[in-house]
Structures are given as structure tokens and as C-alpha cells.
Amino acid sequence: MSFDGSYTATLSPTASDNFGSHMLSNSITSLASSTSSRPSSNNISKTYRQASQLFLTRRLPEALSTVLPLITPAAETSDVNGLTEPAPVARASRSTRIKVWSLYLTILNAILELDPDEGKDAFGTQEWRTLCKKVRDGDVWEEVVQFGYHGVEGEVDSDVVINLATLLLAHAKTQAVNQKRLENYLAASSTPNLDISQRLEASKSPRLSSRTRRSPSKGAASGADTPRDLNARVKILELYTLHVLLRNNQWDYAREFINASAVLDEERREAFLQALQSLQEEQQESERREREEQQRQEEQLQRDIEEARRLRAENEARERRRIDEERAKREGSEVDYGIENSQGAPKSKGKARTTSGSSALSKSAKSSTSKGKKAVAPRGFGARAAMILTNLRGVIEQMGTTFKANPMLLMRLMVFVISIVVMFGRKGVRERVQRILGAGWNKVKSTAGMGVKVSYI
């Protein structure tokens, strides 16, 4: 039970039998809460469980806002030297600390995997961009070190380092920051801490003193004391050598680091080298496939260009032949059949007009007989039909070639036809077109009728 968040008093089922001991425990708890406003271990565990439930139900904004007070230091709280105190999670046990930071990093990973629109709707545009920038630029690593581990790089728990490296591998713009942070951690965790001021400070705090007691053990060559620490260090080396360095294209340095590492035994070193070799072969094979695919695409593009040029040359040659044939046909079909005089004279002058017409006909007949060699008999119906079919076939072939060279033209034609069909599918449009055509046809009929009457008169 908590009162205004100042302290927490925990009652056991048997505490009601002993009221005096209960009051004594409450007094001790109140005294401890007066000296420090930090949440207790029970509050941290309870808040962690709440945030976990919110995360499992995909309520990411509520989960983030629930876990933030555990990992964010109070702005108004500072020590005697004026330095900001670490976050409440820094005073928790190792397992609780790892759980809280792992949950926080998991929530950030889930947030960055959201669609941009969904993330902006859930967190707001500004906060969404801030969270994405913090992860992609690698600032979250510095946040963990400063707020959770007193700014000491080598004191970060190995499980938290693994989660940080994995998060940056998945979402960071480049792996330069990830590589630098892992190198700093590996160097700091393998070097003894000789800072006397920190040792004096640690003697005043049980949490810092326990961390100071662990620091000499981390001064060993491998930086691993227990099998759990060794496995975590091997996992960190795997992330560093087989993922981060390879993303930075530092294959030779990764191989040298594996060979020189004191953490790896012969079996693990051989497994790492084999994995590195297989990854390098896979990358080389992938690059070879990409080059082959690019070369194939370039060759296909060249073939398409040559095919387009060939089709264009064939179309131009076919067009030139068609023009030449039409010119030849036009020159061969030009015949002078004479000029027939008009028949517009009155019947009173029939004899004179008949005489003049007969003389003109006789002259034209003489001229036509004199030019008989040059005159050509008119074409028959079959020849004209064959010529029309030939021209129609040429037009169809030309349209097919044009559509093949430019498919968008066919699409436009289809869209135009479909739009015409859709337009005439509307009853109002059909009626309007019928009215316009009917009115035009009536005008044509009336004009033709008037012309017939005038000619008759």
C-alpha cells in the first residue's frame, strides 16, 4: 500500500496478529522514505509488470509512459556535488534492472516497426520523430549508460548490451556508432577501474560498493567470471565480429579480432572463423548474382533498343515502298479523256448547238485517237477492290507496328473507346444526341426539298 507515492508499506497475512511489530516496520519504512524519494524495489517490480501487460496488449504509448519513470532521473534531484542522481532502476537488483532496460528497448523496437502513419497517430508527429531519431542515431545507448549505470560504460549489464547492439543493428542508419560503443564496452569491461574517487563514493552507497567489488574481477583478460558472463561475452563478440563489423565491410579486421580474442577457445574460434568464411562467401555469391542480373538487364535493354531500331527501319522502308507504289499508280492512272461541253442551250438553238457539239466531239475523238498510244484503259472493279484491300492491309500493319512500338497509344485508344461507350450508356446523353441528330437530319431534308423545288421550277 502506498501513500502519495512517498513510501510503501507491505503487510503480510500474519502481520495482523502482531500490531506492535507492524507499527515498527511502518516507522522504519517511513524513515527510509523520508531520506530518499526513490521508488522501492516492490514499486519497480509492480511498474514493470504493468508496463509488460500494456506492451503485450500492444498499447505502446501507455507502456512507454509507464516504464519511463523507472529509467528517467528526477530533474530536481541531485547529490552533494551537484550531479544528477541516476534513474530509480539503477538502485534495483541486477535481474530487475536487466528486465526493465530490456522491456524499454523492446518497446522502442516495436515503436520503430510501426508504420509511419500509425506511429504518428499513436505518439504524435514530434514525439514519434524524437523516438526514431534517438534509436537511429544511437543516442539510446548513451541514455542507458548515463541514467542506469552512473555514466560508466563497462558497468552496463551484458544482457542490456546485447539488446542495445541488436536494436541498433535493426534500426540504426549506420553501424559506426554501434561499433564504437561495443569497442568501448569491451575495452572498459576488460580494464580494471582505478578511479579512487569513485571507490570513495562507492563506500558510501551499498549499490556502488557492490559494483566496486565486482570491478576488479572485470579486470581479467576476458572480462568474464562465471559461465553466464562467459556466454554473454561470447554473444557480444558474435554480434561485434559477425554482424557489426561485416555491416561496416571490415572483414579482415573481424578475422584478426577473432584470432586475437582471449575469450574464445579453439572450438569457438574455429566456429566463428567458419561462420565468417561462409558469410563472406555468401556475400561474394550475392554480389556475383547482382552483377550477373545487372549485366543481363543491360543486355536485354540493348536488345530492346536494337529491336526498336530494326522495327523503325522496317516501318520506314515499308512506308517508302507504299509511297512509291502510290506515286507509280497515280502516274499510271493519269489519262486525258477529253472535256465534255455543257448542255445548257435552249431548244430554239438546237441545231446550232448540235452542230457545234458534233464538231467538238469529232475534234475530241481525233485528239484521242492521235494520243492512243499514251492513253491507258480505265481499271476494272476487281483491280480497284484489290488496291483498296492492299492499302487497308498496309494501314492495319502500320497500326500494329505503331501499337507494338508505343503500347500507350493502344491504351489511350481503348480508354477513349471505353469512355465513348460509357458516355453513350447514359440515357440522357443518348437522348440529347438523338435530338441533335434528328434536328440536323430535318434541316438536311428541308434543304434538299427546297433544292428539288427550285430545280423543278
Side-chain angles (χ1 to χ4, degrees):
M1 183 182 300
S2 67
F3 298 88
D4 300 330
S6 59
Y7 66 94
T8 300
T10 304
L11 298 178
S12 62
T14 60
S16 58
D17 298 332
N18 194 346
F19 182 75
S21 61
H22 168 58
M23 293 297 296
L24 181 60
S25 63
N26 280 345
S27 300
I28 295 174
T29 305
S30 301
L31 180 61
S33 63
S34 63
T35 58
S36 175
S37 62
R38 296 295 180 184
S40 64
S41 177
N42 292 333
N43 283 339
I44 294 177
S45 300
K46 182 178 179 180
T47 305
Y48 166 78
R49 287 192 297 270
Q50 292 176 353
S52 301
Q53 291 296 328
L54 293 172
F55 172 74
L56 292 176
T57 55
R58 300 300 295 175
R59 297 165 62 183
L60 299 181
E62 292 85 349
L64 181 63
S65 61
T66 303
V67 79
L68 277 179
L70 300 180
I71 62 174
T72 305
E76 68 276 3
T77 305
S78 60
D79 57 7
V80 294
N81 296 326
L83 300 177
T84 303
E85 288 291 327
V89 71
R91 297 181 178 274
S93 61
R94 182 177 184 272
S95 60
T96 304
R97 185 172 63 249
I98 293 175
K99 289 179 181 179
V100 171
W101 282 119
S102 300
L103 176 62
Y104 173 62
L105 298 177
T106 305
I107 294 174
L108 290 181
N109 180 68
I111 291 173
L112 266 73
E113 288 179 351
L114 295 175
D115 293 333
D117 296 337
E118 186 179 357
K120 292 176 182 178
D121 292 339
F123 294 92
T125 303
Q126 187 64 30
E127 185 177 359
W128 162 260
R129 292 178 179 174
T130 302
L131 292 173
C132 293
K133 184 177 184 300
K134 178 168 63 174
V135 175
R136 291 168 182 169
D137 293 346
D139 297 337
V140 63
W141 200 307
E142 181 66 21
E143 178 185 7
V144 172
V145 174
Q146 292 297 329
F147 294 165
Y149 298 91
H150 304 272
V152 181
E153 190 89 28
E155 291 295 331
V156 182
D157 296 301
S158 56
D159 295 333
V160 178
V161 172
I162 292 171
N163 292 329
L164 282 169
T166 306
L167 180 65
L168 295 187
L169 272 173
H171 301 289
K173 298 177 181 178
T174 62
Q175 295 303 312
V177 176
N178 202 1
Q179 177 181 350
K180 181 180 178 181
R181 286 292 184 176
L182 284 174
E183 290 173 352
N184 292 341
Y185 172 77
L186 292 173
S189 60
S190 299
T191 304
N193 187 4
L194 302 179
D195 190 357
I196 300 177
S197 62
Q198 185 175 0
R199 290 177 180 271
L200 295 176
E201 236 179 73
S203 62
K204 301 176 183 180
S205 173
R207 169 67 188 145
L208 292 180
S209 61
S210 62
R211 186 183 296 116
T212 307
R213 286 194 298 271
R214 288 203 317 266
S215 61
S217 64
K218 289 190 176 182
S222 63
D225 299 329
T226 64
R228 177 188 178 90
D229 296 336
L230 179 61
N231 293 331
R233 179 56 64 93
V234 171
K235 179 63 177 177
I236 293 173
L237 290 180
E238 178 184 353
L239 290 171
Y240 177 67
T241 56
L242 300 182
H243 295 277
V244 177
L245 291 180
L246 304 190
R247 292 276 289 273
N248 292 333
N249 201 22
Q250 298 183 11
W251 297 86
D252 296 336
Y253 179 65
R255 186 174 290 105
E256 294 175 0
F257 192 91
I258 291 172
N259 290 325
S261 176
V263 178
L264 302 176
D265 54 8
E266 292 299 327
E267 183 179 357
R268 288 195 177 97
R269 182 177 289 107
E270 186 65 24
F272 272 51
L273 292 176
Q274 289 180 0
L276 180 63
Q277 184 65 26
S278 62
L279 290 174
Q280 190 170 11
E281 291 175 356
E282 289 178 2
Q283 186 189 25
Q284 293 174 354
E285 181 67 19
S286 177
E287 292 176 354
R288 184 185 63 81
R289 286 196 299 267
E290 289 179 359
R291 288 194 300 267
E292 291 178 354
E293 180 66 20
Q294 184 178 2
Q295 184 178 1
R296 188 188 64 80
Q297 292 178 358
E298 292 177 355
E299 292 176 354
Q300 182 65 29
L301 180 61
Q302 188 66 25
R303 285 195 298 268
D304 293 342
I305 294 174
E306 293 176 357
E307 182 68 17
R309 289 177 180 174
R310 186 183 63 80
L311 292 175
R312 182 178 178 182
E314 291 179 357
N315 294 335
E316 292 177 353
R318 189 182 298 109
E319 186 68 18
R320 285 195 298 269
R321 287 197 301 270
R322 186 181 64 81
I323 294 174
D324 294 340
E325 290 176 359
E326 290 181 356
R327 186 183 295 112
K329 293 175 182 178
R330 195 183 307 112
E331 292 176 355
S333 62
E334 289 179 354
V335 181
D336 186 7
Y337 295 104
I339 301 174
E340 185 177 0
N341 291 329
S342 60
Q343 303 291 334
K347 292 182 179 180
S348 62
K349 299 180 181 180
K351 293 182 180 180
R353 292 297 182 186
T354 305
T355 306
S356 61
S358 60
S359 62
L361 288 173
S362 62
K363 291 179 182 179
S364 63
K366 290 179 181 179
S367 63
S368 62
T369 54
S370 64
K371 298 179 181 179
K373 294 181 180 180
K374 296 182 180 180
V376 180
R379 294 178 179 270
F381 179 80
R384 293 181 181 178
M387 183 176 66
I388 292 173
L389 292 177
T390 303
N391 294 336
L392 183 60
R393 186 179 64 183
V395 171
I396 293 174
E397 291 178 356
Q398 184 179 2
M399 289 178 62
T401 305
T402 304
F403 289 149
K404 187 182 295 184
N406 189 5
M408 291 301 299
L409 186 60
L410 178 60
M411 296 298 295
R412 291 176 182 174
L413 178 61
M414 292 178 63
V415 171
F416 177 76
V417 173
I418 293 172
S419 61
I420 292 296
V421 172
V422 172
M423 183 178 66
F424 281 99
R426 299 175 61 182
K427 184 177 179 180
V429 175
R430 288 200 306 271
E431 293 177 353
R432 185 175 180 181
V433 171
Q434 289 177 359
R435 288 197 302 269
I436 294 173
L437 293 178
W441 179 246
N442 291 333
K443 291 182 180 179
V444 170
K445 287 196 299 183
S446 61
T447 305
M450 293 175 63
V452 170
K453 292 179 182 179
V454 170
S455 61
Y456 176 75
I457 295 172

